Amino acid sequence: MEYNYPCKKDTGFFFFPIAKVHELIGVGKCSEMDVILDLWIHAVYNDSSVLGSDSGPIVYYRDNTGNPLTSFNELGERWSLSKASVSRLLKKLEEKEYITLISFTGKHGSVIYLNNYLSVMFNISDVMIDKEEIAMKMQLPIHVPEEITIEDSASVSVSETVTDSQITVTKNDSCVPDSHMKFIVQKVAELLDSQGIPCCHCSKTRYILSPLSACKDIFNTFTLNIICPYGNAAYRFELSVSPGDESAQKMPAVAEPSALKGGE
């Protein structure tokens, strides 16, 4: 890893050598403590080479891909457990608030964040994990709530911070309905707000989404302009969106932002 964080503690299983952890879990069926040890030893935080690690301490098994996504089958093979046992164990750890488990649809897999890791290891405040934010960062599907599935629901407010009246979707020939696009803009605004862009916390900011490519039933590209009414710096991003498995006629309940880039 290309970083280090000083830890004031000098005892605890989190100093267990990684090579010894691999030996331990390779002996046979892992106990719950073996699994917790494996998760903590492989936690990565704020490493630019690991997707999603800037949002919180994420479990990454250092396979040189930079992708922390895993599956219950892979974890079962790693821990010598059945897929059902892995599912039950992770659910138990989540109920005890040891971890935050984020599972995505289809064959995308899951990511595991460790709760209380930062406070235990480094005596700093822990962070909240938002599933939609993680989905955008990792270019995975965002699930639009069922109550926002009708295209003519333009009057519905999509957020307490960003309201429907602040968002304009111009000439939308996309396969993704306007209501879904406004929901995605709201989630993008929340993400940018958390990253320190002050305009995204202002109730007077305008968000204008303009298409850059025509609907091809697969992939749509938009320009998202964030306009400050007080004349401060404006921001511009390129947002790429594709619908989920359901057809456009059925108004898909999943919209996938495959990229968010730019910013001026």
Side-chain angles (χ1 to χ4, degrees):
M1 296 298 150
E2 298 178 353
Y3 71 94
N4 66 79
Y5 282 90
C7 179
K8 297 181 180 180
K9 305 184 184 304
D10 36 13
T11 60
F13 70 73
F14 32 73
F15 288 105
F16 209 87
I18 291 180
K20 293 297 181 181
V21 174
H22 291 172
E23 289 181 18
L24 177 64
I25 66 172
V27 169
K29 183 178 180 180
C30 288
S31 67
E32 291 183 6
M33 185 54 71
D34 294 335
V35 169
I36 293 173
L37 169 63
D38 193 38
L39 296 176
W40 272 66
I41 287 294
H42 289 90
V44 174
Y45 178 59
N46 207 19
D47 185 333
S48 59
S49 66
V50 180
L51 286 171
S53 67
D54 57 334
S55 296
I58 195 168
V59 176
Y60 172 60
Y61 287 114
R62 295 169 171 83
D63 58 1
N64 297 318
T65 65
N67 189 341
L69 281 166
T70 186
S71 69
F72 290 178
N73 282 332
E74 292 172 347
L75 294 176
E77 292 178 2
R78 182 179 184 86
W79 298 331
S80 298
L81 299 172
S82 67
K83 180 179 178 180
S85 295
V86 170
S87 179
R88 285 193 297 269
L89 175 55
L90 293 181
K91 182 178 180 180
K92 178 180 179 179
L93 295 179
E94 187 171 36
E95 289 173 349
K96 290 182 175 293
E97 299 183 348
Y98 290 169
I99 66 171
T100 295
L101 177 67
I102 302 178
S103 298
F104 299 99
T105 59
K107 298 181 179 180
H108 293 290
S110 305
V111 292
I112 303 171
Y113 284 90
L114 298 184
N115 300 336
N116 306 314
Y117 181 88
L118 299 180
S119 57
V120 169
M121 291 291 286
F122 312 116
N123 292 328
I124 61 177
S125 299
D126 291 292
V127 294
M128 297 295 293
I129 303 299
D130 181 80
K131 181 173 181 177
E132 280 76 22
E133 176 184 338
I134 302 303
M136 283 189 287
K137 287 185 176 182
M138 301 189 69
Q139 302 178 18
L140 294 172
I142 286 181
H143 293 261
V144 180
E146 292 182 0
E147 62 268 22
I148 310 178
T149 58
I150 302 177
E151 187 172 1
D152 61 5
S153 61
S155 62
V156 176
S157 175
V158 293
S159 171
E160 293 181 0
T161 303
V162 181
T163 63
D164 182 82
S165 61
Q166 292 175 256
I167 304 172
T168 301
V169 182
T170 63
K171 300 178 181 178
N172 184 20
D173 295 326
S174 168
C175 297
V176 182
D178 281 3
S179 56
H180 289 48
M181 293 305 306
K182 290 180 178 180
F183 180 83
I184 293 172
V185 170
Q186 176 256 326
K187 297 308 299 184
V188 169
E190 290 180 2
L191 172 60
L192 295 175
D193 182 22
S194 69
Q195 293 182 346
I197 296 182
C199 289
C200 294
H201 202 70
C202 175
S203 61
K204 296 186 181 297
T205 297
R206 294 292 307 279
Y207 302 84
I208 300 178
L209 200 64
S210 305
L212 291 177
S213 62
C215 176
K216 298 184 179 1
D217 296 325
I218 297 176
F219 193 78
N220 301 276
T221 306
F222 298 83
T223 295
L224 174 62
N225 288 289
I226 302 176
I227 301 174
C228 173
Y230 302 110
N232 295 330
Y235 300 90
R236 186 173 64 215
F237 295 88
E238 185 176 304
L239 180 67
S240 299
V241 179
S242 62
D245 295 334
E246 298 181 50
S247 67
Q249 289 74 21
K250 293 182 179 180
M251 293 196 178
V254 177
E256 179 178 348
S258 56
L260 174 61
K261 61 182 179 180
E264 297 180 356

